[in-house]
Amino acid sequence: MAHQLHLEKEKYRQWAKAGLGLGYSKEGLAPFCDDVAKQQHKDILDNIKQTKNISTVTCGQCALKTLKPDHLKIGKNQCPLGQVNCNCCYTSGKIACPNNACGAIYDDIITNHASSPPAPYWKNTQTQQWTGDPWSIAKCFINAPGYDQKTSSADIDCSGLLHVIINNKYFHNHIQCNLAGANVFSKVRQYRNEIFHSGTMELEKAVANNYIDDMIAVLKDGKELINRKDAQDAVTKLEELKNKDFVVTTENMEKVLGDVREETGNLRKLTGLATKDDRVNLKRKLSAVESLMSELKEVVKRLKIDDSALKNNRSTKSQN
């Protein structure tokens, strides 16, 4: 059977191990990201209360397309915060927030975006939720499609969480690693593509272990993550993946399949938004991931059949 041939191949087991490692990394990062996102949201609202001299920050009425920022353009259509195509440069039809809040939040998101020029991914957010939902702000720092309907860190994959950490200057204050230029956080973010866009579902053991070593390094960052139980529990799982013989089971393959299914959805959205030139390459990637998902579904299906047969065999033996 095809699935049995996969399970017997060492390189396939190493690929599955690396895919599962991404899931463990997400488990270790999600609570940390949730705490920092909530603190950033609180600080933004507290700053608005202080600077605007208001007791409560609430809105829910503003739309991104028509929102007038607090900052003003300089010169001829030049944003002082450096954002390209900023709302400040196209003032016709722009409306100031009636509750004196959303323009300031818009400014804060741009100021905290770490790219140069700053480039928040506005398609992932709903401005109407900014004053009440920390992740509506945090998702602006995920520079990839597919996260617009996500409502918490628990809904966001490892790659998305790493986007938030890398692209959000506020998070940099909670990380010891220098996130400018080449760094282990950016390397792990890239691993998702290398693992899930693989057409062979194979990895050398040394490569898989290197991936896992970098995932561990992220979760052992010396500023805060090193002292968080959830992060270090994930490190324990990752170390076990690396140091013990990895056995492919129904449970762990279902976890990998869930991540691949999510990657497929993200690629479909990205393909729909892409320019004509980019669409060909994205369709190729999407086809590879869809093929991968189909193969994994078959593996999980056969594993479940094997599990059922094993249970029935045990039950028969116990009755005899």
Side-chain angles (χ1 to χ4, degrees):
M1 290 181 290
H3 84 287
Q4 192 62 39
L5 292 175
H6 274 311
L7 303 188
E8 291 172 356
K9 291 170 66 174
E10 175 65 18
K11 290 181 181 179
Y12 175 78
R13 291 203 302 273
Q14 296 301 323
W15 175 88
K17 181 174 77 173
L20 191 60
L22 288 172
Y24 290 154
S25 299
K26 177 255 178 70
E27 290 177 12
L29 288 173
F32 163 76
C33 289
D34 202 44
D35 287 347
V36 178
K38 287 176 179 176
Q39 185 60 52
Q40 180 178 26
H41 187 257
K42 181 180 182 300
D43 287 353
I44 290 172
L45 299 193
D46 286 347
N47 185 60
I48 292 173
K49 289 176 186 178
Q50 182 177 0
T51 57
K52 308 281 187 176
N53 195 26
I54 55 179
S55 58
T56 303
V57 181
T58 184
C59 187
Q61 302 178 42
C62 296
L64 181 69
K65 188 175 181 179
T66 57
L67 178 63
K68 182 179 180 181
D70 274 14
H71 70 273
L72 300 174
K73 67 179 180 179
I74 54 176
K76 185 179 181 180
N77 292 342
Q78 183 179 350
C79 172
L81 304 182
Q83 184 185 210
V84 178
N85 296 324
C86 182
N87 278 14
C88 75
C89 297
Y90 307 95
T91 55
S92 177
K94 298 299 183 287
I95 304 168
C97 175
N99 294 290
N100 222 12
C102 296
I105 296 174
Y106 181 92
D107 287 12
D108 200 283
I109 292 170
I110 297 171
T111 302
N112 272 294
H113 203 284
S115 69
S116 182
Y121 200 86
W122 302 115
K123 292 177 182 178
N124 279 332
T125 192
Q126 291 290 330
T127 52
Q128 293 86 351
Q129 299 173 4
W130 279 356
T131 59
D133 174 29
W135 277 96
S136 288
I137 291 176
K139 289 188 300 179
C140 295
F141 299 92
I142 304 177
N143 284 28
Y147 298 90
D148 50 314
Q149 300 300 316
K150 309 297 184 184
T151 59
S152 71
S153 61
D155 298 329
I156 297 172
D157 57 30
C158 180
S159 179
L161 296 176
L162 288 167
H163 267 275
V164 175
I165 294 171
I166 295 163
N167 293 329
N168 190 339
K169 292 178 183 177
Y170 188 93
F171 273 72
H172 294 190
N173 297 323
H174 299 265
I175 297 292
Q176 185 178 80
C177 176
N178 182 0
L179 295 172
N183 62 84
V184 71
F185 285 77
S186 296
K187 287 168 65 177
V188 173
R189 182 179 63 180
Q190 181 61 28
Y191 291 161
R192 182 180 180 85
N193 291 340
E194 295 175 9
I195 294 168
F196 290 156
H197 296 179
S198 166
T200 62
M201 291 193 294
E202 294 183 352
L203 278 179
E204 297 287 348
K205 183 176 182 179
V207 175
N209 284 343
N210 180 63
Y211 287 171
I212 291 171
D213 282 339
D214 285 344
M215 296 173 195
I216 290 170
V218 163
L219 294 171
K220 283 189 171 183
D221 183 81
K223 187 76 175 280
E224 295 180 18
L225 281 164
I226 188 68
N227 297 314
R228 294 188 63 108
K229 183 179 184 302
D230 31 43
Q232 298 318 302
D233 285 347
V235 166
T236 299
K237 293 180 180 179
L238 287 166
E239 289 175 338
E240 289 177 352
L241 270 185
K242 180 185 173 187
N243 297 322
K244 294 184 179 180
D245 289 336
F246 177 69
V247 178
V248 176
T249 66
T250 304
E251 181 182 9
N252 58 39
M253 291 314 298
E254 283 184 326
K255 288 181 179 179
V256 176
L257 175 59
D259 285 341
V260 172
R261 185 179 286 113
E262 186 162 15
E263 179 68 8
T264 303
N266 290 344
L267 276 173
R268 284 173 181 160
K269 288 185 178 181
L270 188 58
T271 302
L273 296 169
T275 63
K276 185 178 180 179
D277 291 340
D278 292 336
R279 197 169 292 132
V280 174
N281 185 46
L282 285 168
K283 283 184 176 180
R284 179 184 58 80
K285 289 182 178 179
L286 177 58
S287 177
V289 177
E290 286 177 334
S291 176
L292 169 63
M293 184 168 68
S294 177
E295 180 64 36
L296 279 172
K297 283 181 179 179
E298 181 63 23
V299 170
V300 171
K301 177 182 176 182
R302 298 305 308 175
L303 282 168
K304 287 181 177 179
I305 292 173
D306 292 348
D307 286 349
S308 179
L310 181 60
K311 288 178 182 178
N312 289 336
N313 186 43
R314 287 173 177 171
S315 176
T316 302
K317 286 183 177 180
S318 65
Q319 292 174 4
N320 291 334

